[in-house]
Amino acid sequence: MRVMTSRARAAIFAPIGDEGRAARVENRLAEAIRSGVLAHGERLPSEPELAQMLGVATVTAREALVALRAKGLVVTTRGRGGGSFVRAPESADLVEDRLAAMSRIELRDRATVYLVVLTGCAEIAAERTDPDEVEDLRDLLIPLNVSDVARWRSADSELYLSVAALTQSARMTREVVRQEAEFGALLRIPLNEPGFREATATRHQELVEALASGDAVRARESVREHITHSLERLAEIHEAVRR
């Protein structure tokens, strides 16, 4: 398991605190599932284990899992080998439907928050990361001859989650998980276009090199350029689907 992935998961399963309630547990896990930190088919900790990890009562963990099952994000099986398992989030068609239902103002507002959070993460990560950790990011760079759109979207999401983990801030990592769950899937709609994938590959490479050299300004700008380009294309798609 990659170091960054384990850090992101640690942030998800960090204690909720005294104000913890089923809704907060539910929201944190739902965001982790929708953002891809918790993968389809992955087995979740048992109710007692989950409660201990999050610092809540077992009944609270149970209520959260019930709510996640109702949303279709978790399935539970009984018997030997049973447990609660992550269910894949919304399909590409549903993501586009969500984009179509979004107003121009909401799209711009969500995009602004996403841009500020992710560029800030890149800058801090470049200042704090160890060169050895950056090497793990190179595994996420997709060759241009790969046409699997799902793989591109997954790698793009994991790259930004990994950058968040490199900030060494559990709170920041959870915020990026939240942003990925709320907006990341929309931003990756254009990855079905070959030209867009080519531009994405270039920006990914630039980001990894900036992190490796500890260049915070360059890391921030490479993320800004990538997200700005994505938002420009997404805005065009948004206008088309709302006609």
Side-chain angles (χ1 to χ4, degrees), residues 32-47:
I33 292 169
R34 291 190 176 109
S35 66
V37 172
L38 298 178
H40 174 66
E42 180 174 347
R43 183 175 182 171
L44 294 175
S46 67
E47 291 174 0

Side-chain angles (χ1 to χ4, degrees), residues 115-129 160 163-164 166-167 172 207 210-211 213-224:
L115 178 64
V116 170
V117 171
L118 269 297
T119 53
C121 275
E123 181 177 348
I124 295 171
E127 295 172 347
R128 297 180 178 178
T129 190
Y160 283 122
V163 171
L166 288 175
T167 66
M172 179 61 77
L207 173 59
L211 292 172
S213 63
D215 190 335
V217 174
R218 185 180 166 202
R220 184 184 186 94
E221 286 308 306
S222 66
V223 172
R224 177 183 292 278

Side-chain angles (χ1 to χ4, degrees), residues 122-188:
E123 181 177 348
I124 295 171
E127 295 172 347
R128 297 180 178 178
T129 190
D130 185 285
D132 291 337
E133 294 177 318
V134 178
E135 289 305 308
D136 289 326
L137 295 180
R138 298 187 190 280
D139 294 337
L140 298 175
L141 301 179
I142 306 295
L144 282 176
N145 62 353
V146 173
S147 59
D148 185 343
V149 177
R151 183 177 169 188
W152 277 92
R153 288 171 173 159
S154 176
D156 191 63
S157 175
E158 188 173 352
L159 177 62
Y160 283 122
L161 288 167
S162 297
V163 171
L166 288 175
T167 66
Q168 302 174 30
S169 167
R171 188 180 297 274
M172 179 61 77
T173 301
R174 288 197 295 270
E175 179 57 35
V176 173
V177 169
R178 182 176 298 111
Q179 292 301 320
E180 287 295 329
E182 294 180 352
F183 193 69
L186 297 176
L187 201 63
R188 295 181 180 92

